Amino acid sequence: MVIAAWWWHHQRSSVGPKAEDPAVAAAMKDAKVIARGRYLTLAGDCVSCHSVAGGQPYAGGRALLTPFGNIPVPNITPDPETGLGNWRFENFWRALHTGMGIGGEPLYPAFSYTSFTKITREDAVAIFAYLQTLPPVHQPPEPLGLRFPYNVRGALTAWRAMYFKSGTYQPDPKQSAAWNRGAYLVQGLGHCNECHAARDTWGGIDTRASLAGGEIPAQNWYAPDLSMQAHGGLHGWTGQDIVDLLKTGQSSKGVAFGPMADVVASSTQYLSDADLHAMADYLQSLPARQPQVDDALRVSSKAVADRGAAIYGQGCAACHGTDGQGVPGVYPPLDGNASVLEPIGVNATRAVLLGGFAPSTAANPRPYSMPPYAQQLSDADVAAVVTYIRQAWSNRVTPVLERDVIKYRHTPVD
């Protein structure tokens, strides 16, 4: 969740600013609308992408990695030259709802308009009203870093025809109000599918299995499947486990780390309990998944398994337990852990290499963290211990190979 706002746009309209619609202008001065906009902006985690470490919130200044090159993130403060100061609400609405910039240019789809199109107009007004109250920051963007032919904006016409359909969220009358609220947050404002779904060669999302998990492009993290039903990535989780993770960064089933830690720290910890429970209600309704094929699970040798078990016993068991159950509220379990069981093994591998750092939240301001082992363990050692963890206790997923560890060890950290 964490890569949602890849967006490149012209900073100034060729025709200049126009008067705002009177009804919208009145709403934008309403303190309640502005307060709701702040809440919705937090729910959309806009600050994570539209800010740079040490910089002013929402002022842009960073470049996001994509498989096609780097895309600078724009300034969305009301600066008239480099931000949204010359934008009317209709410009903002068109960007969210149709993925078109202020000059009529198609926006690069790394900006999550494929999800934000579901946001209601009323909520979009509130978000825009809040953004217009921010202190204006003069922050020009860096040059676009996409390679040819991806830097040819006209090619987006074909991409949009294949992968994008605009339309606000339509409530399902067969479902409860809470379920619909959760679906709206997950599908639209929270744009969870932008990370938790597989993408094809052209960066399009596979819509056949919504929220079924996928590797985050160019970052080498895997956003797990979010189904709580049989064979789903969160099978065995309860609705309260979901709420706890999103609110505190930690639950009885696991801990948020990597990109998800950023989402919790800057977004979901601030959501109301009602909204978090609504999101959990929706996730509980996701369908069961097909079981993984077990034929490839026997490729790890006894020597690798023994080596991994020895490393685990020396460096991991003291916290996570010989039974892989961890310590509730302190150290997460590894048996049945969604980050351990994801298909390609990248999350567990990078946690061993880089450490596991849960977010600091209001409900859990001093979380326990896992130290990095990149300096202590060789590539072969990391492959062995991660393979052991992925095949110990009730875990039955594919091993990690030494060549995978080499790849993940040298992945840039965004």
Side-chain angles (χ1 to χ4, degrees):
M1 289 102 266
V2 51
I3 60 172
W6 301 345
W7 185 8
W8 174 262
H9 62 84
H10 295 310
Q11 295 293 332
R12 303 187 71 177
S13 170
S14 59
V15 296
K18 297 180 180 179
E20 188 61 83
D21 176 85
V24 172
M28 289 175 58
K29 296 178 181 178
D30 189 322
K32 292 183 178 179
V33 172
I34 294 170
R36 188 162 63 87
R38 179 180 182 275
Y39 178 84
L40 295 170
T41 303
L42 288 170
D45 196 20
C46 305
V47 71
S48 285
C49 285
H50 290 279
S51 307
V52 65
Q56 293 295 317
Y58 302 103
R62 63 179 296 200
L64 292 174
L65 304 178
T66 83
F68 316 109
N70 296 345
I71 298 182
V73 179
N75 178 357
I76 56 173
T77 73
D79 180 68
E81 293 186 357
T82 66
L84 305 185
N86 283 338
W87 285 47
R88 292 182 301 140
F89 168 70
E90 288 301 328
N91 303 132
F92 185 72
W93 172 248
R94 183 166 62 168
L96 287 179
H97 189 62
T98 69
M100 302 297 288
I102 190 171
E105 73 282 7
L107 301 177
Y108 284 105
F111 169 58
S112 303
Y113 61 82
T114 47
S115 293
F116 294 151
T117 186
K118 295 181 182 294
I119 296 174
T120 65
R121 188 177 177 89
E122 181 182 24
D123 280 353
V125 168
I127 294 170
F128 187 65
Y130 170 68
L131 293 177
Q132 292 295 305
T133 69
L134 297 173
V137 179
H138 189 81
Q139 178 76 45
E142 295 296 321
L144 182 66
L146 290 178
R147 302 185 302 275
F148 180 83
Y150 309 109
N151 58 353
V152 179
R153 195 179 295 270
L156 289 174
T157 300
W159 193 96
R160 291 166 62 90
M162 294 174 60
Y163 299 112
F164 176 57
K165 183 179 180 181
S166 64
T168 55
Y169 176 76
Q170 299 300 312
D172 185 343
K174 297 179 181 179
Q175 299 289 349
S176 68
W179 184 96
N180 276 292
R181 175 64 175 175
Y184 174 70
L185 290 170
V186 171
Q187 293 180 16
L189 192 58
H191 57 283
C192 305
N193 209 43
E194 302 292 333
C195 286
H196 291 272
R199 291 179 181 268
D200 63 19
T201 303
W202 302 105
I205 294 176
D206 184 353
T207 59
R208 295 171 297 179
S210 177
L211 303 170
E215 189 171 2
I216 301 175
Q219 293 193 30
N220 278 338
W221 288 103
Y222 193 93
D225 173 79
L226 296 184
S227 171
M228 300 166 68
Q229 305 302 318
H231 309 296
L234 301 185
H235 179 58
W237 287 53
T238 67
Q240 189 61 49
D241 289 328
I242 296 289
V243 172
D244 290 343
L245 184 80
L246 297 178
K247 191 72 173 181
T248 72
Q250 184 166 311
S251 78
S252 65
K253 297 295 185 180
V255 170
F257 67 99
M260 192 62 202
D262 295 334
V263 174
V264 173
S266 60
S267 176
T268 59
Q269 70 159 316
Y270 301 108
L271 300 189
S272 68
D273 287 348
D275 276 350
L276 293 176
H277 280 285
M279 294 170 71
D281 285 350
Y282 173 69
L283 294 180
Q284 286 177 310
S285 73
L286 293 177
R289 309 301 191 191
Q290 292 296 317
Q292 296 187 34
V293 178
D294 293 335
D295 293 345
L297 300 184
R298 300 183 184 89
V299 298
S300 59
S301 67
K302 183 177 184 301
V304 170
D306 290 345
R307 182 179 188 176
I311 295 170
Y312 182 86
Q314 294 169 2
C316 313
C319 293
H320 296 288
T322 56
D323 58 0
Q325 295 303 308
V327 178
V330 183
Y331 305 117
L334 301 181
D335 185 16
N337 188 303
S339 289
V340 171
L341 297 177
E342 52 84 4
I344 61 178
V346 60
N347 288 356
T349 300
R350 297 198 74 194
V352 171
L353 290 171
L354 305 177
F357 299 94
S360 175
T361 60
N364 189 18
R366 294 184 177 179
Y368 287 90
S369 298
M370 172 181 162
Y373 288 90
Q375 301 302 317
Q376 292 95 321
L377 299 179
S378 68
D379 295 329
D381 288 339
V382 174
V385 71
V386 173
T387 294
Y388 170 76
I389 292 168
R390 283 168 61 82
Q391 298 188 345
W393 316 297
S394 68
N395 297 341
R396 293 293 183 270
V397 286
T398 53
V400 168
L401 304 179
E402 187 173 347
R403 65 171 180 262
D404 299 323
V405 178
I406 294 172
K407 171 186 175 182
Y408 300 143
R409 185 188 288 273
H410 298 291
T411 298
V413 179
D414 183 30

